[in-house]
Amino acid sequence: MNLNLHIWRQQNASAPGGFVTYEVDGITPDMSFLEMLDVLNEELLAKREAPVAFEHDCREGICGSCGFLINGLAHGGRRGTTTCQLSMRFFKDGDTLTLEPWRARAFPVIRDLVVDRSAFDRIIQAGGFISAPTGSAPDANAVLVPKDAADTAFEAAACIGCGACVAACPNTSAMLFTSAKLIHLNVLPQGQPQRDQRTVNMVAAMKEELFGSCTNHGECEAVCPKEIPLEFIGRMNHDLMRAVFRRHREPLSSTNGHGRRA
Ligand code: SF4
Ligand code: FES
């Protein structure tokens, strides 16, 4: 199979970028999309040209590092599929493909198809962590977890932080990602003590990064390779209102000077 590739080449975030056209041949249907790029890069290296930079690690849909736009669609647009899981059998001989990095102010280009997604890390960090010694792991059944909570937490935990939701959103909103990371902990009994604080802090961190706001387009859900549901954004908004309301009520429940709650 022969392909024409228009690939975005850019040295770094401050350098101007542009599309460069390459032809690659000898591609077989059983190759993955990233293996097709490996073939191109071997050819470029043989000609002493700089290979195309693209991020990857697990190559099996787990780590979330491999995303970019293929013909304008995040991860190539196949439902529930990361770029590394995309097979070349979905393409035809002679196809022309345009490859470009996520386009979002919050994700500056590091090089070619690689962007800096550390804004996501800062949102997760804002959720807090515990570094105090807590002893050994508790017994598995010490805290009972309702089945529906376990299922929801598991569904949310599937988010791999790839950034496709941001790239597909016309507003480059990070609400689907943030809601998945938040709901993952907020539905569990173990997540209740810091629920309000975590919600306010993560939403505030999301606002401080250069992401836009959600206006219910739903593109995020459509391209998410882990099929994180839009409903999680509603749940996050619910938790935010709950947290802000309870914060507001805080002074009302302080002691009244007689050692009693007001
Ligand atoms: S919500 Fe989906 S598209 Fe967004 S970062 Fe998580 S896995 Fe990727
Ligand atoms: S390389 Fe890990 S999800 Fe694609």
Side-chain angles (χ1 to χ4, degrees), residues 41-189:
N41 278 345
E42 278 167 20
E43 288 174 10
L44 292 175
L45 284 167
K47 291 190 276 185
R48 296 188 175 279
E49 290 179 29
V52 175
F54 62 93
E55 207 179 345
H56 60 100
D57 188 3
C58 67
R59 295 201 178 206
E60 53 184 344
I62 297 171
C63 73
S65 61
C66 63
F68 48 80
L69 298 169
I70 302 167
N71 288 346
L73 297 171
H75 291 295
R78 289 195 72 83
R79 185 118 197 126
T81 307
T82 56
T83 304
C84 60
Q85 294 173 306
L86 199 55
S87 170
M88 291 312 296
R89 70 174 180 273
F90 299 128
F91 300 92
K92 298 192 304 293
D93 184 36
D95 270 357
T96 296
L97 305 177
T98 301
L99 278 48
E100 53 188 319
W102 294 155
R103 302 295 190 186
R105 270 205 311 163
F107 291 160
V109 173
I110 294 175
R111 191 183 176 99
D112 298 339
L113 303 176
V114 181
V115 299
D116 179 356
R117 287 174 291 121
S118 57
F120 272 5
D121 298 335
R122 290 188 287 277
I123 293 172
I124 293 175
Q125 282 164 8
F129 59 92
I130 177 146
S131 57
T134 55
S136 56
D139 279 348
N141 289 329
V143 180
L144 297 179
V145 180
K147 177 76 167 73
D148 58 342
D151 288 347
T152 304
F154 194 80
E155 191 181 8
C159 167
I160 53 175
C162 64
C165 47
V166 173
C169 174
N171 309 325
T172 65
S173 165
M175 288 192 78
L176 193 66
F177 163 81
T178 308
S179 66
K181 296 301 170 199
L182 196 60
I183 299 307
H184 171 193
L185 300 174
N186 279 10
V187 293
L188 293 171

